[in-house]
Amino acid sequence: MKRKYAIVGVGGIGGYYGGRLAQSGQDVHFLCRSDYQYIKEHGLKVESVKGDFHLTQVNAYNDAKQMPPCDVILVCTKTLSNYQLKDILPPILHPDSLVILVQNGLGLEQALEKDLPDIKIAGATAFICSFKVRQGYIRHAEYGELSLSPYHACVADSLKQVALDLQQAGIPTQYVDDLNYLRWKKLVWNIPYNGLTVLMNASTDKLTFDADSRPLLRDLMREVIEAAAACGATIPFDFIDKMIASTEKMTPYSPSMKLDYEASRPMEIDTMYTCPIQTARAAGYEMKKTAVLEQQLRFKEKHRL
Amino acid sequence: MKRKYAIVGVGGIGGYYGGRLAQSGQDVHFLCRSDYQYIKEHGLKVESVKGDFHLTQVNAYNDAKQMPPCDVILVCTKTLSNYQLKDILPPILHPDSLVILVQNGLGLEQALEKDLPDIKIAGATAFICSFKVRQGYIRHAEYGELSLSPYHACVADSLKQVALDLQQAGIPTQYVDDLNYLRWKKLVWNIPYNGLTVLMNASTDKLTFDADSRPLLRDLMREVIEAAAACGATIPFDFIDKMIASTEKMTPYSPSMKLDYEASRPMEIDTMYTCPIQTARAAGYEMKKTAVLEQQLRFKEKHRL
């Protein structure tokens, strides 16, 4: 049985993963925003380290109400627009639809469940350097691994099927049992690097190799791991060494928050900083260093100096 | 008996306080650096909210060895050059000379005592907006209070005499028993405002009135007060409200570290951040938030972006 896929948001993440699924022969429906007209007319081009491709015929929509009900919905927007999902999703859902949040941060699935209590939810994290160059044109620069994990236990089997579809489309995909663990693990990198690239106006390599910011990165990672432990997710401390070593090998790069800041777009402070801080506090752990970054980022967002 | 004064460093602090002492008729000898030739020829001009004045004849020197031994030496340079005091001071000292460090930060007197074990030391903090506009020209914009406190108990009486001289010169001066308390109390303002004006590229008013940086300022002040308590200096927590309220009333202003940063000069990170952090740590208290600022500032100092 072939699954019908919906991609919500056709940026670096949705454009690449949705494009790969469509290229592999899956039935994929893209919900676009500003790019709708362009993609409708010219299709979607992907320039990728894993091979370029051009989808000339794309099922593009600018209104969810025009879309067919889909089996799997990959939400690939920034979390800042998640409050709109309660209006966007219902038209494309059937009773067994699976909504997968391919996003950064914490508390996303809980918030969505509050808005739409009856739907089936999973989470995903993407380890990828990919961004929209211009309308209908995505550049996938490096990596590409996806990790999927169920929020509702009942979706485990269908999520594993999705993982197979993704693998068949050439996307290295792993299935992870513990979503809480997966989300915190991603934060170990996201919290130090997203905030500090903005605040220090520096790329990942500069921060990683500098004798003063490197211990700051490590201190922040340690704090995230301690917070995760307080919240029931055990990440070993040597994960810090692995993250630093793998970032050392990366092509110098600007994480999503840095790109948002430079483009004068709002930043994902709520889901990447505030929610982890509050969740850890409720579990009895104060993320003191992370809280400094959070407040500095909120100030910076208003005063882009 | 009239005291002979030496002023080491003729910037915003030394130029103003030394100038006032000379204007009041004290015998004052100024050790200059780059301004020596100019001040020798044109004297020292002070533009002050408390009244302008021009000292046409100034005892200016560019070499301590040319100076007479003095009774009181006011060290008014940045702490970054304190390592030079062991060479600068000996020629201007007699056995009863009193060296007063009019500087910011912690651990200054201890470091000087290590370099020159036999001298008599006191500390002072200046609450003043004053800076050098150009060679031989100081602008005193606001405030001016000096607080003096003995490092060696034996200097208490002569320090009180100095306080009288300063008062007579029109400088509001108070004598404080506990130097450790005085130094930590100054840090309650200095740590949040000096670092954040640099890191956020914002003036004191912007930081104070913003809904996100204001709680960050308060959190940092609280941390300094907790560190002070661990180090034996009891500062009441309502001092935070007083500091915020008095900064609200201040003319928007750039603290010394911000001016140093903008002028591409080194910043007083060691004495204002590193030493307090290490001193608190030795007393069993981790200044976690302050340590984030310290590391960010060290990065910024190298990468002025």
Side-chain angles (χ1 to χ4, degrees), chain A residues 79-143:
Chain A
T79 54
L80 289 154
S81 55
N82 279 16
Y83 71 96
Q84 299 174 331
L85 290 176
K86 64 177 179 301
D87 301 317
I88 292 170
L89 291 179
I92 49 179
L93 296 176
H94 60 65
D96 288 320
S97 294
L98 171 58
V99 177
I100 308 176
L101 301 178
V102 190
Q103 297 179 314
N104 281 319
L106 202 70
L108 318 172
E109 294 80 13
Q110 291 82 346
L112 180 59
E113 189 181 32
K114 231 178 233 176
D115 283 345
L116 297 169
D118 298 323
I119 67 170
K120 300 189 169 92
I121 306 175
T125 59
F127 181 57
I128 188 168
C129 303
S130 181
F131 52 94
K132 192 172 94 175
V133 178
R134 55 176 182 269
Q135 289 214 331
Y137 194 105
I138 306 295
R139 180 174 297 144
H140 167 222
E142 220 172 352
Y143 306 106

Side-chain angles (χ1 to χ4, degrees), chain B residues 87-151:
Chain B
D87 301 317
I88 291 171
L89 292 179
I92 49 179
L93 296 177
H94 60 65
D96 288 319
S97 294
L98 169 59
V99 177
I100 308 176
L101 300 178
V102 191
Q103 298 179 312
N104 281 318
L106 202 71
L108 318 174
E109 294 80 13
Q110 290 82 347
L112 180 59
E113 188 181 32
K114 231 178 231 173
D115 283 346
L116 298 170
D118 298 323
I119 67 170
K120 300 189 169 91
I121 307 175
T125 60
F127 180 58
I128 189 169
C129 303
S130 182
F131 52 95
K132 191 171 95 176
V133 177
R134 56 177 183 270
Q135 289 214 332
Y137 195 105
I138 306 295
R139 179 174 296 144
H140 166 224
E142 220 173 353
Y143 306 106
E145 290 83 346
L146 257 186
S147 300
L148 309 179
S149 190
Y151 177 65

Side-chain angles (χ1 to χ4, degrees), chain A residues 196 199-202 206-207 210 212-213 215-216 219 288-289 291-292 295-296 298-299 302-303 305, chain B residues 196 199-202 206-207 210 212-213 215-216 219 288-289 291-292 295-296 298-299 302-303 305:
Chain A
L196 288 178
L199 295 167
M200 300 286 96
N201 190 22
K206 228 175 208 155
L207 291 173
D210 180 87
D212 291 298
S213 53
L216 176 55
D219 286 353
K288 291 190 176 188
K289 289 170 184 282
V292 173
Q295 290 163 308
Q296 288 179 328
R298 292 216 179 270
F299 182 87
K302 282 173 287 182
H303 311 277
L305 299 162
Chain B
L196 289 178
L199 295 168
M200 300 286 97
N201 190 21
K206 226 173 209 158
L207 292 173
D210 180 87
D212 291 298
S213 53
L216 176 55
D219 286 354
K288 291 191 175 187
K289 290 171 183 282
V292 173
Q295 290 163 307
Q296 289 179 329
R298 292 216 179 270
F299 183 86
K302 280 174 289 183
H303 311 278
L305 301 162

